[in-house]
Amino acid sequence: MSLSLRPVAVDDLVDLQPLDAAYAREMGVEPAVEAASLGFFARTGHAFVAESGGRPQGAVLAQAVWDGVRPTVRVSRLIGSPEARRVLAEAVVKSAYDAAVYDLAAEVPAADEALAALLSAA
């Protein structure tokens, strides 16, 4: 499957909400994909959708934050197929690097060992 990347948009709600709901149920966390959250993350420059054939296969919701000392890109949610998650992890790392942000923090549910390993590798 060939994946393309693009910035997340509010219009992705219909496709991403079921992916996020399934992930939230599986990991025992609250859903993160809502119209308001997509509207926010669409403006961050660090949130992307991986799609194949025009259909979203996953998404990463991330934003840059500044603590007064160093900027950090904070990943709130990374969902999708294993290949989509790999491509999205690489994309958020590259977008952080391109913005001269060298720290990455991610909220990873304890049950998602695969995501923790993927982000450590990226």
Side-chain angles (χ1 to χ4, degrees):
M1 161 175 38
S2 177
L3 294 171
S4 59
L5 290 173
R6 62 171 174 75
V8 72
V10 175
D11 293 343
D12 294 318
L13 182 65
V14 170
D15 292 316
L16 294 181
Q17 209 164 33
L19 284 174
D20 182 56
Y23 179 81
R25 275 192 308 277
E26 181 181 350
M27 296 298 152
V29 297
E30 291 294 316
V33 173
E34 299 176 0
S37 65
L38 292 181
F40 170 78
F41 285 108
R43 296 186 302 274
T44 69
H46 298 289
F48 304 99
V49 170
E51 59 186 8
S52 177
R55 297 273 316 172
Q57 303 299 310
V60 61
L61 304 179
Q63 71 187 65
V65 293
W66 171 255
D67 66 4
V69 179
R70 291 177 62 98
T72 300
V73 169
R74 181 178 165 269
V75 177
S76 297
R77 186 62 51 103
L78 203 164
I79 55 172
S81 68
E83 183 180 354
R85 290 182 1 148
R86 181 188 57 78
V87 169
L88 290 161
E90 292 171 0
V92 77
V93 168
K94 182 178 181 339
S95 76
Y97 181 80
D98 289 349
V101 176
Y102 304 113
D103 293 330
L104 188 73
E107 293 178 26
V108 179
D112 198 346
E113 294 173 5
L115 180 57
L118 175 66
L119 289 171
S120 291

